Amino acid sequence: MIWSVVGTCIPDTCSDDADNVCLLLNKQVFSWGGYGNLSPSTVSAQVFCIFFALFGIPLNLVLLNRIGQLMLSGVQQCACHLGNKFHWQKGAAVLTRTCALVAGLLLFLLLPPLLFTAIEGWTYEQGFYYSFITLATIGFGDYVIGMNPDRTYPAWYKNVVSLWILFGMAWLALIINLCISLLENSSDLCRCCKRSNREVEQELIDGNQNTSLGPEEEPSCNVKATKPVGPN
């Protein structure tokens, strides 16, 4: 890992498992987690971390955006396939989005706490709390995986958790964008309803004014032509 070469990890931690720990540091920098348990320890490493984050965070945003688009396109393709097969476009779209939402909840929020309970010794509530805080990029640092010296961790554990964080952040970003779009659409709908109500009220007012005035009396132009009476 590049962090091992630069020497940014804490010496006591990197001497045992440098690759896994520095992989977690990369994850914390790119995902804005910032637990605080791993940090650069030298001035050169701190300067490198600044430039590393300046270029790494935008690239991570592009990657998360691409992963989210792939997830969304997969859901849309499933909805189109089911709609064409069963001739039920609207119901297929609702069913597919519901299944995608439930699957995302299971994979990223409900099932990972079971893994943390088995490996870290946490309760399910603590694991769920860690899952949400991590995927939401809050990162308080009160719960951190793989840092208990009294426990032995599998070799695949931290790598799997890093992949879970990557895809989980993309999924949670999709959910947040969906909520934002729903709020914006509801606000636009409210504005349209208010505008239509004002237009209807204005039309009623104009109609009442027209009926109260009544038709204007047209001036009579039937003037009889009279001949002057004079001597023959």
Side-chain angles (χ1 to χ4, degrees):
M1 287 294 176
I2 192 169
W3 288 105
S4 301
V5 177
V6 179
T8 56
C9 296
I10 300 174
D12 295 338
T13 308
C14 282
S15 60
D16 297 333
D17 197 5
D19 289 338
N20 285 333
V21 174
C22 293
L23 177 63
L24 287 177
L25 182 57
N26 289 336
K27 180 261 297 179
Q28 291 184 20
V29 172
F30 286 163
S31 64
W32 323 286
Y35 292 129
N37 59 316
L38 299 176
S39 61
S41 57
T42 61
V43 177
S44 60
Q46 291 171 356
V47 173
F48 176 79
C49 182
I50 293 174
F51 290 99
F52 188 63
L54 285 176
F55 290 98
I57 290 177
L59 291 176
N60 191 42
L61 288 175
V62 173
L63 178 62
L64 291 177
N65 186 24
R66 178 61 61 181
I67 293 174
Q69 289 179 357
L70 290 175
M71 290 180 178
L72 185 60
S73 63
V75 172
Q76 291 176 350
Q77 289 179 1
C78 291
C80 292
H81 179 72
L82 292 176
N84 294 329
K85 186 175 182 179
F86 296 102
H87 303 287
W88 192 35
Q89 296 289 340
K90 187 175 181 180
V94 174
L95 180 62
T96 306
R97 292 174 183 176
T98 304
C99 292
L101 178 61
V102 173
L105 286 173
L106 288 174
L107 288 176
F108 301 117
L109 286 179
L110 298 179
L111 292 180
L114 298 176
L115 178 65
F116 300 141
T117 301
I119 297 181
E120 298 289 345
W122 300 340
T123 63
Y124 183 83
E125 291 78 11
Q126 291 173 342
F128 183 83
Y129 168 78
Y130 169 79
S131 300
F132 182 80
I133 292 298
T134 300
L135 296 184
T137 68
I138 298 173
F140 287 129
D142 46 356
Y143 292 96
V144 182
I145 63 163
M147 294 299 169
N148 190 352
D150 298 330
R151 289 184 172 270
T152 57
Y153 298 99
W156 50 266
Y157 178 56
K158 294 178 181 178
N159 297 326
V160 170
V161 172
S162 298
L163 291 176
W164 164 74
I165 291 175
L166 180 64
F167 286 94
M169 287 175 60
W171 173 80
L172 191 61
L174 275 179
I175 298 300
I176 293 174
N177 289 331
L178 178 61
C179 295
I180 292 174
S181 63
L182 289 176
L183 291 175
E184 290 178 350
N185 292 333
S186 62
S187 62
D188 293 338
L189 181 62
C190 291
R191 284 196 295 268
C192 290
C193 292
K194 291 179 180 179
R195 189 181 301 113
S196 62
N197 290 333
R198 285 196 298 268
E199 291 176 357
V200 171
E201 291 177 357
Q202 188 64 33
E203 289 178 358
L204 291 175
I205 293 172
D206 295 339
N208 292 330
Q209 289 178 355
N210 292 332
T211 55
S212 62
L213 289 176
E216 295 181 355
E217 295 181 356
E218 297 180 354
S220 59
C221 296
N222 297 328
V223 179
K224 295 182 180 180
T226 56
K227 292 183 180 181
V229 179
N232 293 332

